Amino acid sequence: MALPKNSNSTTKKKVSYISVPSQIINSLSSSSLQSLLVSPKKSSRCTNRFSYRNPRIWFLTLFLVSLFGMLKLGFNVDPISLPFSRHPCSTGNSFHGEEKHRAVSHLGFASKNDMQSNSSSSEYRKNETSPAEGDFWKQPDGLGFKPCLGFTRQYRKDSNSILKNRWKYLLVVVSGGMNQQRNQIVDAVIIARILGASLVVPVLQVNVIWGDESEFADIFDLEHFKNVLADDVHIVSSLPSTHVMTRPVEEKRTPLHASPQWIRAHYLKRINRERVLLLRGLDSRLSNDLPSDLQKLRCKVAFQALRFSPRILELGNKLASRMLSEGQYLSLHLRMEKDVWVRTGCLPGLTPEYDEIVNSERERHPELLTGRSNMTYNQRKLAGLCPLTALEVTRLLKALEAPKDARIYWAGGDPLGGKEALEPLTKEFPHLYNKHDLALPGELEPFAKKASVMAAIDYIVCEKSDVFIPSHGGNMGHALQGQRAYAGHKKYITPNKRQMLPYFMNASLPESDFNRIVKELHRESLGQPELRTSKGGKDVTKHPVPECMCSDRQQQQQQE
């Protein structure tokens, strides 16, 4: 905390304090008490006025003699001490009851005592953060943009007939990790709306990598999902009995970025005839450029309807509260797991042994490499296609003037190389935690084999952080970019990897010049409002302005 300017001044006058029995305190007026506690200023003009004949002096002397006599006799009174403690009601730990524990990371990063703090001290820490610490915690200017989902009159008129239609149903199977599944669920709702069909709650395909068998209701609040979309799409938990024996027509050939016109031309006749349509593999199949009402519906699904289930929300909010108990915090999404290095065609750069592990895995499973297989590792690195390493994240944070004592939550799976992989980061920023560090014994056990639940917990804690930085792109980073924008443009730092990597590799560049250059490169990448229309076909759930958010003036015009 920044000290007052005159805190170290040797000329500052000291104030003396004494202990006074409470009975006497109650009998004195405030002015009398003040005359006892604060010595009057000395003045050469007044020295000649002091006289032993002054009756006030005798009265004060008699009072002091009586006071100290009472104290000496040992009256059983409650003293009052001044000055008061900064935390007069400090009696407990910031984790109440069963929440008192020592945070010990399964990788051994978190300090054993860091998470045990006084509740009053925690509140004080929240208030002591000041602009003197730099601009790292400063939030971007949201330019007055707020959520704005005003559907057209025609859309609302069409809803009446669509919701009455209960004779054709859309079945959808979604795959991938939790954030990838979210994207496909959003598109499933849009396709059901385009076809005028009822949507059966999407089926979550068992993840072949993690073996997660979670169902929709295990991850998301099903009733909330139905209620929020009740005016847009009819949603049912299962096919009605009249359709159970119907063999659904299955379609796997949906092209990338299909338009609403394409969807109607190829699927409407089939679903009208068969009454049930089954779709798989919807990832990135629906166009990002849709009519305004459908874009708004996309945002409504992503930001309002897809709420996590109560038990996930409860645990995620608990972990976020434990981070917030000490004030502001930063969250990182670190993509340093073994499968990420294999899929991206990149190398962790730890030791030749770890590089060989990644190369061998890639040779055994070449199908895991995602796109641009003709590029070498160095070409991928320079193109900004590789995750940042812990050393690169550390240099980025230092250049952006993150406080050395900043509390950091890191999301993601265990990095290849374990503790060693994160040493450059923990050395410079020791207050590093993940969900295992923050959770009490037994809190994560019910979800130990639920990768989707673990990802949802990470999502909640990251969404509530003051600053978020992804070390690589991906579905979670994109989802949080849109979520944080929709929440008021909370700070989201997008690493400018392609432009800053040459400076990372320039060993002769002074650190001061490196920091200045990197900070300048990120001046416009802090989560400020960006118009999706200027981003060329980007997803509206990543860039919700202007379709799903409008300024105060625009909102007023719409209401008029």
Side-chain angles (χ1 to χ4, degrees), residues 322-395:
R322 290 166 193 170
M323 288 298 296
L324 287 168
S325 68
E326 292 293 316
Q328 295 166 306
Y329 73 94
L330 155 73
S331 59
L332 299 173
H333 187 207
L334 300 179
R335 305 303 309 279
M336 300 168 61
E337 303 96 326
K338 176 182 174 181
D339 69 293
V340 174
W341 295 119
V342 173
R343 288 188 291 104
T344 57
C346 302
L347 297 174
L350 297 171
T351 63
E353 289 76 14
Y354 284 117
D355 288 349
E356 181 58 30
I357 290 174
V358 173
N359 284 324
S360 298
E361 187 72 16
R362 195 177 294 135
E363 289 176 3
R364 286 196 298 269
H365 301 283
E367 71 278 3
L368 296 178
L369 184 60
T370 55
R372 307 193 186 188
S373 57
N374 60 329
M375 296 177 69
T376 65
Y377 161 61
N378 288 330
Q379 289 173 331
R380 287 174 177 269
K381 185 77 173 177
L382 290 174
L385 300 176
C386 292
L388 294 177
T389 65
L391 177 59
E392 291 164 345
V393 170
T394 303
R395 296 191 68 188

Side-chain angles (χ1 to χ4, degrees), residues 131-271:
E133 295 180 348
D135 294 335
F136 184 77
W137 300 113
K138 183 179 179 181
Q139 295 297 315
D141 185 355
L143 301 178
F145 281 101
K146 298 178 180 178
C148 183
L149 299 181
F151 294 97
T152 64
R153 183 178 301 175
Q154 185 61 47
Y155 178 91
R156 296 194 299 270
K157 181 180 178 180
D158 293 341
S159 297
N160 294 329
S161 58
I162 289 175
L163 294 174
K164 292 177 181 178
N165 187 341
R166 305 293 175 88
W167 59 273
K168 56 182 178 181
Y169 292 83
L170 176 65
L171 290 171
V172 173
V173 178
V174 299
S175 59
M178 188 276 294
N179 290 288
Q180 192 175 359
Q181 291 172 343
R182 281 174 60 99
N183 295 338
Q184 295 173 58
I185 293 169
V186 172
D187 285 355
V189 174
I190 305 303
I191 293 175
R193 173 77 190 198
I194 292 172
L195 296 175
S198 297
L199 175 66
V200 180
V201 172
V203 177
L204 276 55
Q205 183 174 317
V206 177
N207 194 293
V208 295
I209 298 178
W210 300 289
D212 190 343
E213 298 182 355
S214 298
E215 297 181 358
F216 187 99
D218 296 326
I219 309 298
F220 305 105
D221 188 331
L222 177 55
E223 293 307 312
H224 178 79
F225 181 72
K226 291 179 179 179
N227 292 336
V228 171
L229 299 175
D231 294 332
D232 305 281
V233 175
H234 178 229
I235 299 174
V236 296
S237 298
S238 59
L239 280 175
S241 57
T242 55
H243 290 62
V244 169
M245 300 304 295
T246 303
R247 183 177 181 179
V249 57
E250 184 174 356
E251 177 58 59
K252 300 180 181 179
R253 296 173 295 176
T254 307
L256 290 173
H257 311 303
S259 66
Q261 292 78 14
W262 192 96
I263 296 292
R264 292 191 189 94
H266 289 78
Y267 294 158
L268 191 56
K269 187 177 295 186
R270 297 185 192 184
I271 196 172

